[in-house]
Amino acid sequence: MSAENMKLTFVLTIIVFLSVSNLSAQNFGATGTQWYYSEHAGGMCSRNCEYLHLESATDTIINGLTTHKIIQKYYRYTGDTLQLDPIYLYEQSDTIFMWSFSKLKFLTTYIFNGNQGDTLTLDAPDTLMADTSYRLVIDTIINIIIDGVSLKKYGTTALDAYGFYNGGYFMDRIGGLDWFFPRAIIIPEAGGPIRCYSDAQIDTNFQAVACDHILTSSVDEPTSDFDIKIYPNPIFDLLTIKSKHPIERIDLYDLAGKLIVTTRELTIDFSALTSGLYILKIHLSTGQEIERKIMKNAG
């Protein structure tokens, strides 16, 4: 083979390699990427009355790795907004890792480009838990084209405590369709599903509701139905519950479904908990259950 032919072959090899690499790369969470997930405030308003907006705002370095900083902002039906802790992600070979400040390491969050029948082993996203892995089996793969971009939609079955719900789906470049991360159990108060997603190539709506829709015609505080007061919300440290009916038990869950506190005390200390959303379940002696979403702000 002549020197010119060898040079041409080398160049073509590089082009093919780069093309294959670009096809397989997810470019997950690149700057400018946005997600909108529906939220609701229990008895205060319907499922689509609030929303959580995530946006990849900038890149930063953690442990020598370039990570995408995902800003989270919660938009409430009352018109106010709450800033949640940012999420830091980086991608390597179609695997997405999330930085955990509580564990001081990156957690395996997504594995894309799997095949039907594959078992994925991931790290539990719950920062309150000890090191825990869980497994998802890919049952189905559906090829979808959105805005000219070919994507795979993975239907999964959870073998352990965590998983995606509503079919167990997550999708290339987008992530979870039920919620941004998998979670332990379904709670009626939990957020989701996804409303909208956009990046440099894709701009799509998954629901028949505007990305930034907020229902503002709700009642003020529906705790009056059972003469219950819960305050303050948002909270920094101590949450107080007052009720005219005897309370049998109070349970506090994180959004992943993990039980954080169970008590009969009417004051709950949030000071040691990480900022974010929690679910409060109040079990009355009358047999009713009251569920409220509690926002813990950074202290």
Side-chain angles (χ1 to χ4, degrees):
M1 182 181 293
S2 67
E4 287 188 4
N5 287 339
M6 291 181 64
K7 182 177 180 180
L8 179 60
T9 301
F10 176 76
V11 171
L12 290 174
T13 301
I14 294 298
I15 291 174
V16 171
F17 173 78
L18 291 176
S19 298
V20 172
S21 298
N22 289 334
L23 286 173
S24 63
Q26 294 292 324
N27 203 23
F28 187 88
T31 301
T33 302
Q34 298 184 67
W35 301 260
Y36 292 80
Y37 286 90
S38 286
E39 281 282 1
H40 66 138
M44 288 180 267
C45 62
S46 64
R47 189 163 189 81
N48 275 325
C49 70
E50 302 178 330
Y51 69 94
L52 179 67
H53 178 225
L54 299 93
E55 181 175 8
S56 181
T58 187
D59 287 348
T60 188
I61 304 297
I62 298 180
N63 277 11
L65 297 170
T66 300
T67 63
H68 303 308
K69 181 179 181 180
I70 312 295
I71 302 299
Q72 300 189 87
K73 186 176 286 188
Y74 186 89
Y75 290 81
R76 302 190 66 199
Y77 78 101
T78 53
D80 58 326
T81 60
L82 299 169
Q83 196 76 42
L84 307 184
D85 290 339
I87 301 168
Y88 296 89
L89 302 171
Y90 89 94
E91 176 182 357
Q92 184 178 36
S93 301
D94 288 316
T95 300
I96 310 302
F97 300 89
M98 177 184 69
W99 176 254
S100 169
F101 283 98
S102 63
K103 299 176 183 178
L104 297 179
K105 67 177 185 178
F106 283 100
L107 307 177
T108 304
T109 304
Y110 287 112
I111 298 176
F112 295 105
N113 278 335
N115 298 308
Q116 186 173 354
D118 285 356
T119 298
L120 309 179
T121 300
L122 308 171
D123 294 318
D126 185 356
T127 58
L128 298 176
M129 295 179 65
D131 291 347
T132 303
S133 62
Y134 66 98
R135 297 163 298 162
L136 299 177
V137 175
I138 299 178
D139 298 319
T140 58
I141 297 177
I142 304 171
N143 293 308
I144 297 176
I145 297 178
I146 302 178
D147 294 338
V149 179
S150 180
L151 304 173
K152 292 180 179 179
K153 180 179 176 181
Y154 306 90
T156 63
T157 296
L159 297 182
D160 303 301
Y162 279 77
F164 295 101
Y165 292 86
N166 295 327
Y169 290 110
F170 69 98
M171 188 179 291
D172 285 346
R173 291 175 67 154
I174 296 173
L177 301 184
D178 170 62
W179 190 241
F180 191 70
F181 296 121
R183 49 190 172 189
I185 60 173
I186 276 290
I187 306 176
E189 290 291 308
I194 192 170
R195 285 187 184 181
C196 304
Y197 171 85
S198 64
D199 59 28
Q201 295 176 289
I202 297 173
D203 188 357
T204 189
N205 193 314
F206 289 88
Q207 295 191 54
V209 61
C211 302
D212 58 354
H213 170 73
I214 298 176
L215 181 64
T216 57
S217 59
S218 307
V219 296
D220 293 333
E221 278 292 339
T223 53
S224 58
D225 289 347
F226 299 99
D227 296 314
I228 291 177
K229 294 183 178 180
I230 302 169
Y231 61 90
N233 189 18
I235 185 173
F236 289 99
D237 42 37
L238 296 180
L239 183 76
T240 298
I241 299 127
K242 291 186 177 181
S243 172
K244 291 187 179 180
H245 297 288
I247 293 177
E248 293 293 333
R249 188 178 81 254
I250 300 171
D251 295 330
L252 182 68
Y253 297 85
D254 64 16
L255 280 185
K258 181 189 176 185
L259 179 63
I260 306 299
V261 174
T262 183
T263 182
R264 298 187 68 177
E265 300 293 327
L266 300 183
T267 300
I268 299 177
D269 187 359
F270 274 71
S271 59
L273 300 181
T274 57
S275 60
L277 289 169
Y278 293 84
I279 306 301
L280 190 73
K281 288 188 177 182
I282 302 172
H283 304 265
L284 301 177
S285 61
T286 56
Q288 288 96 345
E289 289 185 8
I290 308 300
E291 295 185 4
R292 291 293 179 266
K293 188 174 294 182
I294 307 299
M295 174 60 65
K296 166 67 165 63
N297 279 347

